[in-house]
Amino acid sequence: MDKLVLIGGGGHCKSVIDSIDKNMYEDIVITDKDNSVLEEIMGVRIAGDDDVLAELMLKGYKKAFITVGFIKDNTLRHKLYDVTEVLDFDLINVIDKTAIVSEKAHLDKGIFIGKGVIINAECKIGKMAIINTGSIVEHECIIGEHSHIAGGTILCGNVHVGTDTFIGAGSRIIQNVTIGNNCIIGAGSIILSDVPDNSQVNGIYHS
Ligand code: JB2
């Protein structure tokens, strides 16, 4: 059986631990920058900070998952992704057992799909994406790499989301809309037309 490292021990880590099928792993450990206070999180041991990652790899922890999330600034997730690439970890996907993911959807690696999420037919989900609790991603949507769809969001059919974009909780995006790269869509927004790269949008958006 495989051994797994979770990188980051905060709130997102707790969601991920709750969704992992623990029977698939011989052992699971966490690395966290601040590893001096707690010894474990939800029964998963903290092995140290990221300095122990290379040693863990040598001890057979070849699978990894990045369990720091992001709301607006994605820098840390990128940095940690690069670390896993350099050390040659195999990034897993974590899909909660209550999620419904079409067999006709395509998923890259390092992806989190939380509780109650629905991913419909012919969606493409880029590496390191977070699709959080209860979101609906309708047919043929594309989610770019390193983007985060926060809880309770609805993407109607054929919505395209760029890379490094954050869509706040409870937003609604109508069909066939494209949201660019590096965008921040505030919680509860309603998006009715395309959003250019690097935009910040709140509320009802129609260009
Ligand atoms: O360089 C690091 C590092 N920097 C901070 N390496 C490692 N391994 N860990 C690091 N951390 C740790 O990430 C902090 O010490 C802290 O334990 C954790 C961040 O926890 P926090 O609860 O602040 O955020 P989060 O990233 O787990 O969750 C955010 O994103 C989720 C998607 C939150 O905003 C959640 O509400 C959200 N659902």
Side-chain angles (χ1 to χ4, degrees), residues 2 11 28 31 41 47 54 70 74 87 95 99-100 104 112 125 135 141 146 159 162 166 172 185 195 201:
D2 292 315
I28 306 176
T31 61
I41 294 167
F70 86 103
N74 215 358
L87 293 174
I95 302 172
I100 299 170
K104 301 292 182 195
F112 177 65
I125 314 295
S135 289
C141 284
H146 289 278
V159 166
F166 171 77
R172 274 111 176 88
I185 309 295
V195 178
V201 168

Side-chain angles (χ1 to χ4, degrees), residues 72-146:
K72 288 174 181 168
D73 182 359
N74 215 358
T75 316
L76 180 57
R77 275 175 70 79
H78 273 281
K79 187 187 124 197
L80 295 174
Y81 173 80
D82 291 345
V83 169
T84 61
E85 284 282 283
V86 168
L87 293 174
D88 207 23
F89 279 101
D90 180 13
L91 282 188
I92 64 162
N93 289 334
V94 175
I95 302 172
D96 192 272
K97 64 178 185 301
T98 62
I100 299 170
V101 180
S102 165
E103 287 179 7
K104 301 292 182 195
H106 178 266
L107 272 50
D108 206 321
K109 63 179 179 177
I111 294 164
F112 177 65
I113 298 180
K115 289 182 167 62
V117 167
I118 298 174
I119 311 263
N120 214 334
E122 295 190 350
C123 288
K124 291 184 184 151
I125 314 295
K127 71 182 181 192
M128 293 293 293
I130 300 171
I131 318 289
N132 234 330
T133 313
S135 289
I136 295 173
V137 181
E138 266 296 351
H139 59 91
E140 299 164 279
C141 284
I142 298 175
I143 312 289
E145 52 191 56
H146 289 278

Side-chain angles (χ1 to χ4, degrees), residues 2 4 8 49 54 56 81 84 89 116 136-137 149 154 165 170 184-185 194 197 202-203:
D2 292 315
L4 173 68
D49 62 19
L56 286 169
Y81 173 80
T84 61
F89 279 101
I136 295 173
V137 181
I149 312 301
I154 298 176
T165 281
I184 297 173
I185 309 295
D194 291 355
D197 291 348
N202 286 293

Side-chain angles (χ1 to χ4, degrees), residues 6-15 30-35 38 41 48-51 53 66-72 76-77 79-80 112 130 132-133 148-151 166:
L6 306 177
I7 304 175
H12 189 51
C13 182
K14 292 180 180 175
S15 296
I30 296 167
T31 61
D32 194 276
K33 188 176 165 191
D34 181 11
N35 58 84
L38 296 173
I41 294 167
D49 62 19
D50 299 335
D51 290 344
L53 285 171
I66 293 165
T67 42
V68 289
F70 86 103
I71 296 300
K72 288 174 181 168
L76 180 57
R77 275 175 70 79
K79 187 187 124 197
L80 295 174
F112 177 65
I130 300 171
N132 234 330
T133 313
H148 175 187
I149 312 301
F166 171 77

